[in-house]
Amino acid sequence: MNNTPLLRAMISYDKDDPKRIQHFLKVYEFTHLICDGEQVDTMIRQTAETAAIVHDIGIHLSEQKYGSSGGKYQEQEGPAEARKMLSGLYYADNIIDRVCWLVGHHHTYTNINAADYQILVEADFLVNLYEDFPEAAVRRDAAEAAYRNIFRTETGKQLFKELFGN
């Protein structure tokens, strides 16, 4: 599976916004690492990694429409943008449908009931905990809560511990 065309398209989509580009690249790489560690099948890997690349595609529209990049707005605006990008790159309809669903739920942390969903959320948390909480003490509290409430995969837990300690 060659993700380079989608990565390049998403970099172009987020041009002049290095923070967002760096964010999705990190989420993508953590998703890749978790997929490897959990030895997921090809379909789960494809949907999780594809979703990781486009998971925040709704941010710019959310900021334009609502003056906010809040998670609910991203979930609302992201799927249609993701569908346009993925369709333009000729992704299969079943992949597009699943990725759009993931984009529309990646800030919803209840009823995480599928491996691709779990992996995407864990990868996004690994990056957000570092980016959103620059103060170590605040990050520690947020990280402990996230570890208890979010992390389920063994690989995600291991990466978490390596990043943030026990």
Side-chain angles (χ1 to χ4, degrees):
M1 170 175 57
N2 180 4
N3 290 311
T4 301
L6 180 58
L7 288 163
R8 295 294 304 173
M10 195 63 202
I11 289 168
S12 180
Y13 185 89
D14 278 343
K15 74 177 188 170
D16 298 324
D17 194 346
K19 178 181 177 185
R20 299 249 163 70
I21 294 167
Q22 299 242 350
H23 175 80
F24 80 74
L25 288 171
K26 288 184 275 188
V27 173
Y28 168 72
E29 188 58 37
F30 279 121
T31 298
H32 182 81
L33 289 169
I34 296 170
C35 284
D36 279 354
E38 298 301 303
Q39 299 178 334
V40 300
D41 68 36
T42 303
M43 182 62 77
I44 291 169
R45 176 183 293 279
Q46 186 171 14
T47 57
E49 290 183 1
T50 302
I53 296 167
V54 299
H55 75 283
D56 281 343
I57 197 168
I59 284 180
H60 293 291
L61 275 179
S62 298
E63 290 172 337
Q64 290 168 8
K65 284 186 168 184
Y66 311 106
S68 171
S69 63
K72 266 307 187 207
Y73 296 129
Q74 289 180 46
E75 289 181 339
Q76 187 176 316
E77 300 300 327
E81 287 296 289
R83 185 173 299 281
K84 281 191 282 189
M85 183 175 286
L86 297 172
S87 295
L89 293 170
Y90 306 105
Y91 278 75
D93 288 342
N94 64 321
I95 300 296
I96 293 172
D97 291 343
R98 181 61 181 166
V99 168
C100 288
W101 188 91
L102 291 168
V103 169
H105 291 83
H106 79 279
H107 283 287
T108 302
Y109 309 127
T110 55
N111 299 318
I112 298 175
N113 58 5
D116 54 0
Y117 189 10
Q118 182 67 45
I119 291 166
L120 174 62
V121 168
E122 288 182 13
D124 200 23
F125 260 88
L126 289 171
V127 176
N128 284 336
L129 284 168
Y130 177 75
E131 291 179 347
D132 294 349
F133 300 102
E135 296 176 27
V138 176
R139 182 170 53 239
R140 183 78 233 150
D141 291 343
E144 288 174 5
Y147 186 81
R148 281 192 313 275
N149 297 317
I150 298 297
F151 286 79
R152 300 287 176 263
T153 69
E154 290 306 313
T155 307
K157 289 177 180 180
Q158 180 183 1
L159 288 166
F160 177 95
K161 289 175 182 175
E162 291 167 347
L163 286 166
F164 304 110
N166 291 335

